[in-house]
Amino acid sequence: MNAVHAKEKLHPNDGLIATSHLHKTDLQEIKAYIGTHYDESLSITQLARMANISPKYFVDLFKKTFGQSAMEYLTDVRIHHAKRYLAESDERLRDIAKKVGYKDEFYFSRKFKKEVGMSPTDFVKNTRKRVAVCSPSAIGHLLALNIIPEIAPLDPKWTPHYYNLYSGKIKSHLILTSPYYELAFETNLDKLSQARPDVIIGSDQMRISEGSRLNSIAPVHYIAGNKGWRDQLLDIANYLDKEAVAEQWIRNYENNVEIAKAQMSHSLGDDRIIALRIYRTQMFVYRNRGLHEVLYEDLNLQAACGKELSGHLPITLQELQELDPERILLIICPEALTRKYWLTLQHSEGWKRLRAVQNSHVYMISADPWFEYSSVAMARMLDEALLLFTGNCPNILLDYSYGESLAK
């Protein structure tokens, strides 16, 4: 029996019929209730009553299910909405505090600084700096620092996540000319000149002449491609005076990794994983930097073969049968010949005999976020991996939080 019936409203004062067992979906409803009633005074006693269990059991079960306590999650939701109000409105601090459930603006300020790494006032100053970026991965780093760039390359096909969430907030859209995110430089240079940003975040892969022309518009900070995403984020944070925010982001990510590892260990056991990419009439063992780091370094999942460490290599169906991995991540290129080959492959006996196929452990993944290397992309990959392998979606507010992963 669910905790909320179709004819009943989920409210702290509602008396619900007792149940002998609380299902995972019931707690999801409690969690969703917190997410929409964060501005109210919520307590463990009230939430436990809604779930028809004792407060102590509720505390333990919520933490076991979601990897954080109900009050920690409530704080995450409140701080998330506070960031949005601070970034997008000119309301007074006391009014914003009340809108997110805090009666005392001074307590709210202390709580905000503890969670975010800076005061609400400093957050507003830094968030409203006019920053331009020259790549989608730079967008992913800036969002981790709670900065929405004013000028950025966006495309509904190649950057759907950023396009759908931020196209209205990013004032000037640079253009992308390929799935590898190369800028149409001359056209975009005019847009940057007109926008007049305070700073530009560029790539160290740019030619010297391009960097010089960008520098004539605004100071340029280059992302070092040879560094890991954590160091890239810290470098940008140091340049923009947001070190504390970057350090908090990295701590949150590492904590989320530990939570995900514990949950995946129960679901996966010793299952071996392979990532495949199908292009035209061929399969490839797929590897890129972000996918490899999340799956095999951060989560310590078992790779099905050493080829995972060697790059983008072709693999035959016979070779795949010999490996017979327990789990398959699959990327299908969106073009006609590839789709035709994929339809044929699905009906082949060799494919159907694979252990992963027979157990329904083949998971479709997309270029977004799995082809991007940035702070936000890594957090999204981590969350997607957890959702695919366990069915648990940890961060229901992820898409609305400037890319921030909210589970702690």
Side-chain angles (χ1 to χ4, degrees), residues 161-371:
H161 176 75
Y162 299 137
Y163 185 88
N164 291 334
L165 292 177
Y166 302 106
S167 60
K169 298 176 182 178
I170 295 175
K171 295 180 180 179
S172 181
H173 297 182
L174 304 180
I175 61 172
L176 294 167
T177 57
S178 81
Y180 301 104
Y181 311 134
E182 295 176 359
L183 287 170
F185 188 74
E186 293 300 328
T187 301
N188 289 328
L189 197 67
D190 290 338
K191 292 189 176 185
L192 286 165
S193 297
Q194 294 172 15
R196 286 292 170 186
D198 297 319
V199 296
I200 299 172
I201 307 298
S203 166
D204 64 0
Q205 301 302 309
M206 287 180 169
R207 294 191 293 268
I208 294 176
S209 59
E210 293 175 342
S212 176
R213 295 176 71 185
L214 286 176
N215 204 54
S216 68
I217 298 172
V220 182
H221 178 77
Y222 295 98
I223 299 175
N226 63 337
K227 291 185 176 182
W229 70 266
R230 294 169 181 81
D231 287 332
Q232 290 178 358
L233 179 64
L234 289 169
D235 283 349
I236 297 172
N238 182 61
Y239 181 71
L240 297 175
D241 233 0
K242 301 201 71 169
E243 296 95 330
V245 181
E247 291 166 359
Q248 183 65 51
W249 169 275
I250 293 171
R251 283 194 297 270
N252 289 350
Y253 176 84
E254 301 296 349
N255 190 45
N256 290 346
V257 167
E258 294 307 311
I259 292 170
K261 282 167 67 174
Q263 295 186 35
M264 288 188 194
S265 176
H266 178 73
S267 298
L268 296 181
D270 295 325
D271 285 2
R272 296 163 303 132
I273 295 171
I274 192 170
L276 299 176
R277 183 172 183 258
I278 295 180
Y279 178 65
R280 293 184 177 265
T281 60
Q282 197 164 17
M283 282 191 300
F284 299 86
V285 176
Y286 185 72
R287 172 192 179 270
N288 65 35
R289 191 177 183 185
L291 182 148
H292 178 82
E293 287 184 17
V294 169
L295 297 183
Y296 305 118
E297 292 183 8
D298 293 339
L299 294 173
N300 292 323
L301 302 182
Q302 298 297 313
C305 70
K307 288 183 179 180
E308 288 282 357
L309 306 177
S310 303
H312 194 66
L313 299 176
I315 184 172
T316 66
L317 181 56
Q318 182 179 347
E319 290 172 327
L320 184 60
Q321 286 179 286
E322 292 172 0
L323 289 172
D324 199 15
E326 287 80 8
R327 311 270 176 162
I328 296 175
L329 296 178
L330 190 60
I331 303 164
I332 308 292
C333 293
E335 54 92 36
L337 189 57
T338 302
R339 292 194 192 98
K340 182 178 178 181
Y341 174 71
W342 168 231
L343 287 172
T344 303
L345 180 65
Q346 289 178 80
H347 291 91
S348 69
E349 289 302 316
W351 178 264
K352 289 191 288 188
R353 283 198 299 267
L354 290 170
R355 190 175 348 189
V357 175
Q358 292 180 350
N359 293 329
S360 299
H361 288 161
V362 178
Y363 312 95
M364 296 292 182
I365 61 175
S366 60
D368 178 31
W370 294 88
F371 285 13

Side-chain angles (χ1 to χ4, degrees), residues 147-167:
I147 297 173
I148 299 178
E150 293 219 1
I151 308 99
L154 288 180
D155 185 274
K157 180 178 180 181
W158 301 118
T159 61
H161 176 75
Y162 299 137
Y163 185 88
N164 291 334
L165 292 177
Y166 302 106
S167 60

Side-chain angles (χ1 to χ4, degrees), residues 34 36-42 74 78 98-102:
I34 296 173
T36 56
H37 292 75
Y38 59 88
D39 58 331
E40 300 175 9
S41 179
L42 301 179
L74 175 59
R78 286 173 168 173
K98 289 179 180 178
K99 288 179 73 169
V100 298
Y102 294 104

